[in-house]
Amino acid sequence: MRALNLELTAFGPYRQQQQIDFTDLGEEPIFLITGPTGAGKTTIFDAICYSLYGKASGTDRDQDGFRSHFANVSELTSVRFTFELHHKTYRVIRSPKQQKPKARGEGCTEEAASASLYLYNQE
């Protein structure tokens, strides 16, 4: 599998949408994610694992903790991960169970967790 792009919205410590374009790394088969403590390195792995498996990359975190504490109720948590496998390109979009504003009236309602997998047309 080759990671191509990762988009996080209201995920972990990131309130606003964050995007990582792995294609900037070129054709290198291995790369290093580095930074100071608390920079969000583990969040990148959690987002990839969550998009693929619905779980965090480690056992000390659960999916209830994926939603950013900084996000307001109108900002929905989601992860979009695009990757290549056997010369085919896929995108996974996953969102945890979360509260969202009601369409009518005041208050919130619970939105169920969702996951979608897309295969891009290959020519």
Side-chain angles (χ1 to χ4, degrees):
M1 179 182 77
R2 180 172 175 247
L4 300 175
N5 191 281
L6 179 65
E7 295 175 31
L8 315 172
T9 303
F11 189 90
Y14 304 110
R15 176 183 172 203
Q16 297 177 331
Q17 184 184 61
Q18 302 294 314
Q19 183 170 317
I20 301 169
D21 185 359
F22 292 100
T23 62
D24 286 346
L25 301 172
E27 296 297 318
E28 294 298 323
I30 190 167
F31 54 87
L32 175 68
I33 297 176
T34 184
T37 300
K41 300 176 296 294
T42 302
T43 302
I44 294 168
F45 294 115
D46 281 345
I48 291 171
C49 288
Y50 174 68
S51 70
L52 295 172
Y53 307 111
K55 298 179 181 178
S57 62
T59 58
D60 60 337
R61 294 171 303 283
D62 62 18
Q63 71 180 33
D64 293 336
F66 288 148
R67 180 158 172 77
S68 175
H69 297 278
F70 304 110
N72 62 46
V73 74
S74 65
E75 297 170 306
L76 297 180
T77 300
S78 68
V79 175
R80 296 171 182 250
F81 180 51
T82 307
F83 61 96
E84 186 178 89
L85 181 65
H86 298 298
H87 305 291
K88 293 181 180 177
T89 303
Y90 298 89
R91 174 175 276 182
V92 180
I93 302 172
R94 191 180 292 263
S95 297
K97 175 179 71 174
Q98 58 194 306
Q99 296 292 312
K100 70 173 192 172
K102 288 184 175 180
R104 291 184 201 86
E106 294 184 23
C108 294
T109 186
E110 185 173 278
E111 180 160 323
S114 66
S116 301
L117 174 65
Y118 300 93
L119 170 63
Y120 287 87
N121 288 335
Q122 302 293 311
E123 297 185 30

Coordinates of all heavy atoms in Angstrom, one line a residue, residues 2-93:
R2 N 0.5 2.2 -0.8 CA 1.2 3.5 -0.8 C 0.2 4.6 -0.5 O -0.8 4.8 -1.1 CB 1.8 3.7 -2.2 CG 2.5 5.0 -2.4 CD 3.2 5.1 -3.7 NE 3.8 6.4 -3.9 CZ 3.5 7.3 -4.7 NH1 2.5 7.0 -5.6 NH2 4.1 8.5 -4.8
A3 N 0.5 5.3 0.6 CA -0.3 6.5 1.0 C -0.2 7.6 0.0 O 0.9 7.9 -0.4 CB 0.1 6.9 2.4
L4 N -1.3 8.2 -0.3 CA -1.3 9.3 -1.3 C -1.7 10.6 -0.6 O -1.1 11.7 -0.8 CB -2.2 9.0 -2.5 CG -1.9 7.8 -3.3 CD1 -2.9 7.6 -4.4 CD2 -0.5 8.0 -3.9
N5 N -2.8 10.6 0.2 CA -3.3 11.8 0.8 C -4.1 11.5 2.0 O -4.8 10.5 2.1 CB -4.2 12.5 -0.3 CG -4.6 13.9 0.2 OD1 -5.4 14.1 1.0 ND2 -3.9 14.9 -0.4
L6 N -4.0 12.4 3.0 CA -4.8 12.2 4.3 C -5.4 13.5 4.6 O -4.7 14.5 4.7 CB -3.8 11.7 5.4 CG -4.5 11.5 6.7 CD1 -5.5 10.4 6.7 CD2 -3.4 11.2 7.8
E7 N -6.7 13.5 4.8 CA -7.4 14.8 5.2 C -8.1 14.5 6.6 O -8.8 13.5 6.7 CB -8.4 15.2 4.2 CG -7.9 15.5 2.9 CD -9.0 15.8 1.8 OE1 -10.1 16.2 2.2 OE2 -8.7 15.5 0.7
L8 N -7.8 15.4 7.5 CA -8.5 15.2 8.8 C -9.3 16.5 9.1 O -8.8 17.6 8.8 CB -7.4 15.2 9.9 CG -6.2 14.3 9.8 CD1 -5.2 14.6 10.9 CD2 -6.6 12.9 9.8
T9 N -10.5 16.3 9.6 CA -11.3 17.4 10.0 C -11.8 17.2 11.4 O -12.4 16.1 11.7 CB -12.5 17.6 9.0 OG1 -12.0 17.8 7.7 CG2 -13.3 18.8 9.4
A10 N -11.6 18.1 12.3 CA -12.0 18.0 13.7 C -11.6 16.7 14.3 O -12.3 16.1 15.1 CB -13.5 18.2 13.8
F11 N -10.4 16.3 14.0 CA -9.8 15.0 14.5 C -8.6 15.2 15.4 O -7.7 15.9 15.0 CB -9.4 14.2 13.2 CG -9.0 12.7 13.5 CD1 -10.0 11.7 13.5 CD2 -7.8 12.4 13.9 CE1 -9.7 10.4 13.8 CE2 -7.4 11.1 14.1 CZ -8.4 10.1 14.1
G12 N -8.7 14.5 16.5 CA -7.6 14.7 17.5 C -7.4 16.1 17.9 O -8.3 16.8 18.2
P13 N -6.1 16.6 17.9 CA -5.9 18.0 18.3 C -6.2 19.0 17.2 O -6.1 20.2 17.4 CB -4.4 18.0 18.6 CG -3.8 16.9 17.7 CD -4.9 15.9 17.6
Y14 N -6.6 18.5 16.0 CA -6.8 19.4 14.9 C -8.2 19.8 14.7 O -9.1 19.0 14.4 CB -6.3 18.7 13.6 CG -4.8 18.3 13.6 CD1 -4.5 17.0 13.7 CD2 -3.8 19.2 13.7 CE1 -3.2 16.5 13.7 CE2 -2.5 18.8 13.7 CZ -2.2 17.5 13.8 OH -0.9 17.1 13.8
R15 N -8.5 21.0 15.0 CA -9.9 21.5 14.8 C -10.2 21.7 13.3 O -11.2 21.2 12.8 CB -10.1 22.8 15.5 CG -11.5 23.4 15.3 CD -11.7 24.7 16.0 NE -12.9 25.3 15.6 CZ -13.2 26.6 15.6 NH1 -12.3 27.4 16.1 NH2 -14.4 27.0 15.2
Q16 N -9.4 22.5 12.6 CA -9.6 22.8 11.2 C -9.1 21.6 10.3 O -8.3 20.8 10.8 CB -8.9 24.1 10.8 CG -9.5 25.3 11.6 CD -8.7 26.5 11.3 OE1 -7.6 26.5 10.9 NE2 -9.4 27.6 11.4
Q17 N -9.5 21.6 9.1 CA -9.1 20.6 8.2 C -7.6 20.7 8.0 O -7.0 21.7 7.8 CB -9.8 20.7 6.8 CG -9.4 19.6 5.9 CD -10.0 19.8 4.5 OE1 -9.8 20.7 3.8 NE2 -10.9 18.8 4.1
Q18 N -7.0 19.5 8.1 CA -5.5 19.4 7.8 C -5.4 18.4 6.7 O -6.1 17.4 6.6 CB -4.8 18.8 9.1 CG -5.0 19.7 10.3 CD -4.3 21.0 10.2 OE1 -3.2 21.1 9.7 NE2 -5.1 22.1 10.6
Q19 N -4.4 18.6 5.8 CA -4.2 17.8 4.7 C -2.7 17.4 4.6 O -1.8 18.3 4.7 CB -4.6 18.4 3.4 CG -4.5 17.5 2.2 CD -5.2 18.0 1.0 OE1 -6.3 18.5 1.1 NE2 -4.5 18.0 -0.2
I20 N -2.4 16.2 4.4 CA -1.0 15.7 4.2 C -1.0 15.1 2.8 O -1.7 14.1 2.5 CB -0.6 14.7 5.2 CG1 -0.7 15.3 6.6 CG2 0.8 14.2 4.9 CD1 -0.5 14.3 7.7
D21 N -0.1 15.6 1.9 CA 0.0 15.1 0.6 C 1.3 14.2 0.6 O 2.4 14.8 0.4 CB 0.1 16.2 -0.4 CG 0.2 15.8 -1.9 OD1 0.2 14.5 -2.1 OD2 0.2 16.6 -2.8
F22 N 1.1 12.9 0.7 CA 2.2 12.0 0.7 C 2.9 11.9 -0.7 O 4.1 11.4 -0.7 CB 1.8 10.6 1.1 CG 1.4 10.6 2.6 CD1 0.0 10.6 2.9 CD2 2.3 10.5 3.6 CE1 -0.4 10.5 4.3 CE2 1.9 10.4 4.9 CZ 0.6 10.5 5.3
T23 N 2.3 12.4 -1.7 CA 2.9 12.3 -3.1 C 4.1 13.3 -3.1 O 5.0 13.1 -4.0 CB 1.9 12.6 -4.2 OG1 1.4 13.9 -4.0 CG2 0.8 11.6 -4.2
D24 N 4.2 14.2 -2.2 CA 5.3 15.2 -2.2 C 6.6 14.4 -1.8 O 7.7 14.9 -2.1 CB 5.1 16.3 -1.2 CG 4.1 17.3 -1.6 OD1 3.8 17.4 -2.8 OD2 3.6 18.1 -0.8
L25 N 6.5 13.2 -1.3 CA 7.6 12.4 -0.9 C 8.2 11.7 -2.1 O 9.3 11.1 -2.0 CB 7.2 11.4 0.2 CG 6.7 12.0 1.5 CD1 6.1 10.9 2.4 CD2 7.7 12.8 2.2
G26 N 7.6 11.7 -3.2 CA 8.1 11.1 -4.4 C 7.9 9.6 -4.4 O 6.9 9.1 -3.8
E27 N 8.8 8.8 -5.0 CA 8.6 7.4 -5.1 C 9.3 6.6 -3.9 O 9.5 5.4 -4.0 CB 9.1 6.9 -6.4 CG 8.3 7.4 -7.6 CD 6.9 6.9 -7.6 OE1 6.7 5.7 -7.3 OE2 6.0 7.7 -7.9
E28 N 9.8 7.3 -2.9 CA 10.5 6.7 -1.8 C 9.6 5.7 -1.1 O 8.5 6.0 -0.8 CB 11.0 7.7 -0.8 CG 12.1 8.7 -1.4 CD 13.3 7.9 -1.8 OE1 13.7 7.0 -1.1 OE2 13.9 8.4 -2.8
P29 N 10.1 4.5 -0.9 CA 9.2 3.4 -0.3 C 9.1 3.6 1.3 O 8.3 3.0 1.9 CB 9.9 2.1 -0.6 CG 11.4 2.5 -0.8 CD 11.4 3.9 -1.3
I30 N 10.0 4.4 1.8 CA 10.0 4.6 3.3 C 10.2 6.1 3.6 O 11.0 6.7 2.9 CB 11.1 3.7 4.0 CG1 10.9 3.7 5.5 CG2 12.4 4.1 3.6 CD1 11.7 2.6 6.2
F31 N 9.6 6.5 4.7 CA 9.8 7.9 5.1 C 9.7 8.0 6.6 O 9.2 7.1 7.3 CB 8.8 8.9 4.4 CG 7.3 8.5 4.6 CD1 6.6 8.9 5.7 CD2 6.7 7.7 3.6 CE1 5.3 8.5 5.8 CE2 5.4 7.3 3.8 CZ 4.7 7.7 4.9
L32 N 10.1 9.1 7.2 CA 10.1 9.4 8.6 C 9.1 10.5 9.0 O 9.1 11.5 8.3 CB 11.5 9.7 9.0 CG 11.7 10.1 10.5 CD1 11.5 8.9 11.4 CD2 13.1 10.7 10.7
I33 N 8.3 10.2 10.0 CA 7.5 11.3 10.5 C 8.1 11.7 11.9 O 8.2 10.9 12.8 CB 6.0 10.8 10.7 CG1 5.4 10.5 9.4 CG2 5.2 11.8 11.5 CD1 4.0 9.9 9.4
T34 N 8.5 12.9 11.9 CA 9.3 13.4 13.1 C 8.7 14.7 13.6 O 8.1 15.4 12.8 CB 10.8 13.5 12.8 OG1 11.5 13.8 14.0 CG2 11.1 14.5 11.7
G35 N 9.0 15.0 14.8 CA 8.6 16.3 15.4 C 8.6 16.2 16.9 O 8.8 15.1 17.5
P36 N 8.5 17.3 17.6 CA 8.6 17.4 19.0 C 7.3 16.6 19.7 O 6.3 16.4 19.0 CB 8.6 18.8 19.4 CG 8.0 19.5 18.2 CD 8.3 18.7 17.0
T37 N 7.5 16.3 20.9 CA 6.4 15.7 21.7 C 5.1 16.6 21.6 O 5.2 17.8 21.8 CB 6.8 15.5 23.2 OG1 7.9 14.7 23.2 CG2 5.7 14.9 24.0
G38 N 4.0 16.0 21.3 CA 2.8 16.7 21.2 C 2.5 17.4 19.9 O 1.5 18.1 19.7
A39 N 3.4 17.1 18.9 CA 3.2 17.7 17.6 C 2.1 17.1 16.7 O 1.6 17.7 15.7 CB 4.5 17.7 16.8
G40 N 1.6 15.9 17.1 CA 0.6 15.2 16.4 C 1.0 14.1 15.5 O 0.2 13.6 14.6
K41 N 2.2 13.5 15.7 CA 2.7 12.4 14.9 C 1.8 11.2 15.1 O 1.4 10.6 14.1 CB 4.1 12.1 15.4 CG 5.1 13.2 15.2 CD 6.5 12.8 15.7 CE 6.6 12.5 17.1 NZ 6.3 13.7 18.0
T42 N 1.4 10.8 16.3 CA 0.6 9.7 16.5 C -0.8 9.9 15.9 O -1.4 8.9 15.5 CB 0.5 9.4 18.0 OG1 1.8 9.2 18.6 CG2 -0.3 8.1 18.3
T43 N -1.3 11.1 15.9 CA -2.6 11.4 15.3 C -2.6 11.0 13.9 O -3.6 10.5 13.4 CB -2.9 12.9 15.5 OG1 -2.9 13.2 16.9 CG2 -4.3 13.2 14.9
I44 N -1.5 11.2 13.2 CA -1.4 10.8 11.7 C -1.6 9.3 11.6 O -2.4 8.8 10.8 CB -0.1 11.2 11.1 CG1 0.0 12.8 11.1 CG2 0.1 10.6 9.7 CD1 1.4 13.3 10.8
F45 N -0.9 8.5 12.4 CA -1.1 7.1 12.4 C -2.5 6.7 12.9 O -3.1 5.7 12.3 CB 0.0 6.4 13.2 CG 1.4 6.6 12.7 CD1 2.3 7.3 13.4 CD2 1.7 6.1 11.5 CE1 3.6 7.5 12.9 CE2 3.0 6.2 10.9 CZ 3.9 7.0 11.7
D46 N -3.0 7.3 13.9 CA -4.4 7.0 14.3 C -5.4 7.3 13.2 O -6.3 6.5 13.0 CB -4.7 7.9 15.5 CG -4.1 7.4 16.8 OD1 -3.7 6.2 16.9 OD2 -4.1 8.1 17.8
A47 N -5.2 8.4 12.5 CA -6.2 8.7 11.4 C -6.1 7.6 10.3 O -7.2 7.2 9.8 CB -5.9 10.1 10.9
I48 N -4.9 7.2 9.9 CA -4.8 6.2 8.9 C -5.4 4.9 9.4 O -6.2 4.3 8.6 CB -3.3 6.0 8.5 CG1 -2.8 7.3 7.7 CG2 -3.2 4.8 7.6 CD1 -1.3 7.3 7.5
C49 N -5.1 4.5 10.6 CA -5.6 3.2 11.1 C -7.1 3.3 11.3 O -7.9 2.4 11.0 CB -5.0 2.8 12.4 SG -3.3 2.3 12.2
Y50 N -7.6 4.4 11.8 CA -9.0 4.6 11.9 C -9.8 4.5 10.6 O -10.8 3.9 10.5 CB -9.4 5.9 12.6 CG -10.8 6.2 12.7 CD1 -11.6 5.4 13.5 CD2 -11.4 7.2 12.0 CE1 -13.0 5.6 13.6 CE2 -12.8 7.5 12.0 CZ -13.6 6.7 12.8 OH -14.9 6.9 12.9
S51 N -9.2 5.2 9.6 CA -9.9 5.2 8.3 C -10.0 3.7 7.7 O -11.0 3.4 7.2 CB -9.2 6.1 7.3 OG -7.9 5.5 6.9
L52 N -8.9 2.9 7.9 CA -8.9 1.6 7.4 C -9.6 0.6 8.2 O -10.3 -0.3 7.7 CB -7.5 1.1 7.2 CG -6.7 1.9 6.1 CD1 -5.2 1.5 6.2 CD2 -7.2 1.7 4.7
Y53 N -9.5 0.7 9.6 CA -10.0 -0.4 10.5 C -11.0 0.0 11.5 O -11.5 -0.8 12.2 CB -8.8 -1.0 11.2 CG -7.7 -1.5 10.3 CD1 -6.4 -0.8 10.3 CD2 -7.8 -2.5 9.5 CE1 -5.4 -1.2 9.4 CE2 -6.8 -3.0 8.6 CZ -5.6 -2.3 8.6 OH -4.6 -2.7 7.7
G54 N -11.2 1.4 11.6 CA -12.2 1.8 12.6 C -11.6 1.9 14.0 O -12.4 2.0 15.0
K55 N -10.3 1.7 14.2 CA -9.6 1.7 15.5 C -8.4 2.6 15.4 O -7.8 2.8 14.4 CB -9.2 0.3 15.8 CG -10.3 -0.7 15.9 CD -9.8 -2.1 16.3 CE -11.0 -3.0 16.4 NZ -10.5 -4.4 16.6
A56 N -7.9 2.9 16.6 CA -6.7 3.7 16.7 C -5.5 2.8 16.5 O -5.6 1.6 16.4 CB -6.6 4.3 18.1
S57 N -4.3 3.4 16.3 CA -3.1 2.7 16.0 C -2.5 2.0 17.3 O -1.7 1.1 17.2 CB -2.0 3.6 15.4 OG -1.7 4.6 16.3
G58 N -3.0 2.4 18.5 CA -2.5 1.8 19.7 C -3.7 1.4 20.6 O -4.9 1.8 20.3
T59 N -3.5 0.7 21.6 CA -4.6 0.2 22.5 C -5.0 1.2 23.6 O -6.0 1.0 24.2 CB -4.2 -1.1 23.1 OG1 -3.0 -0.9 23.9 CG2 -3.9 -2.2 22.1
D60 N -4.2 2.3 23.8 CA -4.6 3.2 24.8 C -5.5 4.3 24.4 O -5.9 5.2 25.2 CB -3.3 3.8 25.5 CG -2.4 4.5 24.5 OD1 -2.5 4.3 23.3 OD2 -1.7 5.4 24.9
R61 N -6.0 4.3 23.1 CA -6.9 5.3 22.6 C -8.1 4.6 22.0 O -8.0 3.5 21.4 CB -6.2 6.2 21.6 CG -5.1 7.0 22.2 CD -4.3 7.7 21.1 NE -3.7 6.8 20.1 CZ -2.6 6.1 20.3 NH1 -2.0 6.1 21.5 NH2 -2.1 5.3 19.4
D62 N -9.3 5.2 22.1 CA -10.5 4.6 21.5 C -11.1 5.6 20.6 O -10.8 6.8 20.6 CB -11.5 4.1 22.5 CG -12.0 5.1 23.5 OD1 -11.9 6.3 23.1 OD2 -12.5 4.8 24.5
Q63 N -12.1 5.2 19.8 CA -12.6 6.1 18.8 C -13.5 7.2 19.4 O -13.7 8.2 18.7 CB -13.4 5.3 17.7 CG -14.7 4.7 18.2 CD -15.4 3.9 17.1 OE1 -14.8 3.3 16.3 NE2 -16.7 4.0 17.1
D64 N -13.9 7.0 20.6 CA -14.7 8.1 21.3 C -13.8 9.3 21.5 O -14.3 10.5 21.6 CB -15.3 7.7 22.6 CG -16.4 6.6 22.4 OD1 -17.0 6.6 21.3 OD2 -16.6 5.8 23.3
G65 N -12.5 9.1 21.5 CA -11.5 10.2 21.8 C -11.0 10.9 20.5 O -10.2 11.8 20.6
F66 N -11.5 10.4 19.3 CA -10.9 11.0 18.1 C -11.5 12.4 17.8 O -10.8 13.2 17.2 CB -11.3 10.1 16.9 CG -10.6 8.8 16.8 CD1 -11.1 7.7 16.3 CD2 -9.3 8.7 17.3 CE1 -10.4 6.5 16.3 CE2 -8.6 7.5 17.3 CZ -9.2 6.4 16.7
R67 N -12.6 12.7 18.3 CA -13.2 14.0 18.0 C -12.4 15.1 18.7 O -12.1 15.0 19.9 CB -14.7 14.1 18.4 CG -15.3 15.5 18.2 CD -16.8 15.4 18.1 NE -17.3 16.7 18.0 CZ -17.4 17.5 16.9 NH1 -16.8 17.0 15.8 NH2 -17.9 18.7 17.0
S68 N -12.1 16.2 18.0 CA -11.3 17.3 18.5 C -12.1 18.0 19.6 O -13.3 18.3 19.5 CB -10.9 18.3 17.5 OG -10.3 19.4 18.0
H69 N -11.4 18.2 20.8 CA -12.0 18.9 21.9 C -12.2 20.4 21.5 O -12.9 21.1 22.2 CB -11.2 18.8 23.1 CG -11.1 17.4 23.6 ND1 -12.1 16.8 24.4 CD2 -10.1 16.5 23.4 CE1 -11.7 15.6 24.6 NE2 -10.5 15.3 24.1
F70 N -11.5 20.9 20.5 CA -11.5 22.3 20.0 C -12.7 22.5 19.1 O -13.0 23.7 18.8 CB -10.2 22.7 19.4 CG -9.0 22.4 20.3 CD1 -8.1 21.4 20.0 CD2 -8.9 23.2 21.5 CE1 -7.0 21.2 20.8 CE2 -7.8 22.9 22.3 CZ -6.9 21.9 22.0
A71 N -13.3 21.5 18.5 CA -14.3 21.7 17.4 C -15.6 22.0 18.1 O -16.0 21.5 19.1 CB -14.4 20.4 16.6
N72 N -16.4 22.9 17.4 CA -17.7 23.2 17.9 C -18.7 22.1 17.3 O -18.3 21.4 16.3 CB -18.2 24.6 17.6 CG -18.2 25.0 16.1 OD1 -18.7 24.2 15.3 ND2 -17.6 26.1 15.8
V73 N -19.9 22.1 17.7 CA -20.8 21.0 17.3 C -21.1 21.0 15.8 O -21.5 20.0 15.3 CB -22.1 21.1 18.2 CG1 -23.0 22.2 17.8 CG2 -22.8 19.8 18.2
S74 N -21.0 22.1 15.2 CA -21.3 22.2 13.7 C -20.2 21.7 12.9 O -20.4 21.4 11.7 CB -21.7 23.6 13.3 OG -20.5 24.5 13.5
E75 N -19.0 21.4 13.4 CA -17.8 20.9 12.7 C -17.8 19.4 12.9 O -17.5 18.9 14.0 CB -16.5 21.5 13.2 CG -16.5 23.0 12.9 CD -15.3 23.7 13.6 OE1 -15.2 23.5 14.9 OE2 -14.6 24.4 12.9
L76 N -18.1 18.6 11.9 CA -18.2 17.2 12.0 C -16.8 16.6 11.8 O -16.0 17.0 10.9 CB -19.2 16.6 11.0 CG -20.6 17.1 11.3 CD1 -21.5 16.4 10.2 CD2 -21.1 16.7 12.7
T77 N -16.5 15.6 12.6 CA -15.2 14.9 12.6 C -15.2 13.9 11.4 O -16.2 13.1 11.3 CB -15.0 14.1 13.9 OG1 -15.0 15.1 14.9 CG2 -13.7 13.3 13.9
S78 N -14.2 13.9 10.6 CA -14.1 12.9 9.5 C -12.6 12.8 9.1 O -11.8 13.6 9.4 CB -14.9 13.3 8.3 OG -14.3 14.5 7.7
V79 N -12.3 11.6 8.5 CA -11.0 11.3 8.0 C -11.2 10.8 6.6 O -12.1 10.0 6.3 CB -10.3 10.2 8.8 CG1 -9.0 9.8 8.2 CG2 -10.1 10.7 10.2
R80 N -10.4 11.3 5.6 CA -10.4 10.9 4.2 C -9.0 10.4 3.9 O -8.0 11.2 4.0 CB -10.8 12.0 3.3 CG -12.2 12.5 3.5 CD -12.4 13.7 2.6 NE -13.7 14.2 2.8 CZ -14.7 14.2 1.9 NH1 -14.4 13.7 0.7 NH2 -15.9 14.6 2.1
F81 N -8.8 9.2 3.6 CA -7.5 8.6 3.3 C -7.5 8.0 1.9 O -8.3 7.2 1.6 CB -7.1 7.5 4.3 CG -5.8 6.9 4.1 CD1 -4.7 7.7 4.0 CD2 -5.7 5.5 4.1 CE1 -3.4 7.1 3.8 CE2 -4.4 4.9 3.9 CZ -3.3 5.7 3.8
T82 N -6.6 8.5 1.0 CA -6.5 8.0 -0.3 C -5.2 7.3 -0.4 O -4.1 7.8 0.0 CB -6.5 9.2 -1.3 OG1 -7.6 10.0 -1.1 CG2 -6.5 8.7 -2.8
F83 N -5.2 6.1 -1.0 CA -4.0 5.2 -1.1 C -4.1 4.4 -2.4 O -5.1 4.3 -3.0 CB -3.9 4.3 0.1 CG -5.1 3.4 0.3 CD1 -5.0 2.1 -0.2 CD2 -6.2 3.8 1.0 CE1 -6.1 1.2 0.0 CE2 -7.3 2.9 1.1 CZ -7.2 1.6 0.6
E84 N -2.9 3.9 -2.7 CA -2.8 3.0 -3.9 C -2.4 1.6 -3.5 O -1.6 1.4 -2.6 CB -1.7 3.6 -4.8 CG -1.6 2.9 -6.1 CD -0.5 3.5 -7.0 OE1 0.7 3.1 -6.9 OE2 -0.8 4.5 -7.7
L85 N -3.1 0.7 -4.1 CA -2.8 -0.7 -3.8 C -3.0 -1.5 -5.1 O -4.0 -1.5 -5.7 CB -3.8 -1.3 -2.7 CG -3.6 -2.7 -2.3 CD1 -2.3 -2.9 -1.5 CD2 -4.8 -3.1 -1.3
H86 N -1.9 -2.3 -5.4 CA -1.9 -3.1 -6.7 C -2.3 -2.2 -7.9 O -3.2 -2.6 -8.7 CB -2.8 -4.3 -6.5 CG -2.4 -5.2 -5.4 ND1 -1.2 -5.9 -5.4 CD2 -3.0 -5.6 -4.3 CE1 -1.1 -6.6 -4.3 NE2 -2.2 -6.5 -3.6
H87 N -1.8 -1.0 -8.0 CA -2.0 -0.1 -9.1 C -3.4 0.4 -9.2 O -3.9 0.8 -10.3 CB -1.5 -0.8 -10.4 CG -0.1 -1.2 -10.4 ND1 0.9 -0.4 -10.3 CD2 0.4 -2.5 -10.4 CE1 2.1 -1.1 -10.3 NE2 1.8 -2.4 -10.3
K88 N -4.2 0.3 -8.1 CA -5.5 0.9 -8.1 C -5.6 1.9 -7.0 O -4.9 1.7 -5.9 CB -6.6 -0.2 -7.8 CG -6.7 -1.2 -8.9 CD -7.8 -2.2 -8.6 CE -7.8 -3.2 -9.8 NZ -8.8 -4.3 -9.5
T89 N -6.3 3.0 -7.2 CA -6.4 4.0 -6.2 C -7.8 4.0 -5.5 O -8.8 3.9 -6.1 CB -6.3 5.4 -6.9 OG1 -5.0 5.4 -7.6 CG2 -6.3 6.5 -5.9
Y90 N -7.7 4.0 -4.1 CA -8.9 3.9 -3.3 C -8.9 5.2 -2.4 O -7.9 5.7 -2.0 CB -8.8 2.7 -2.4 CG -8.7 1.4 -3.1 CD1 -7.5 0.8 -3.5 CD2 -9.9 0.7 -3.4 CE1 -7.5 -0.4 -4.2 CE2 -9.9 -0.5 -4.0 CZ -8.7 -1.1 -4.4 OH -8.6 -2.3 -5.0
R91 N -10.2 5.5 -2.0 CA -10.4 6.5 -0.9 C -11.3 5.9 0.1 O -12.4 5.4 -0.2 CB -10.9 7.8 -1.5 CG -11.3 8.8 -0.4 CD -11.7 10.1 -0.9 NE -10.5 10.9 -1.2 CZ -10.5 12.1 -1.6 NH1 -11.7 12.7 -1.8 NH2 -9.4 12.8 -1.8
V92 N -10.9 6.1 1.4 CA -11.8 5.7 2.5 C -12.2 7.0 3.2 O -11.4 7.9 3.5 CB -11.0 4.8 3.5 CG1 -12.0 4.4 4.7 CG2 -10.5 3.6 2.8
I93 N -13.5 7.1 3.5 CA -14.0 8.3 4.2 C -14.7 7.7 5.4 O -15.6 6.8 5.3 CB -15.0 9.1 3.4 CG1 -14.3 9.6 2.2 CG2 -15.5 10.3 4.3 CD1 -15.2 10.4 1.2

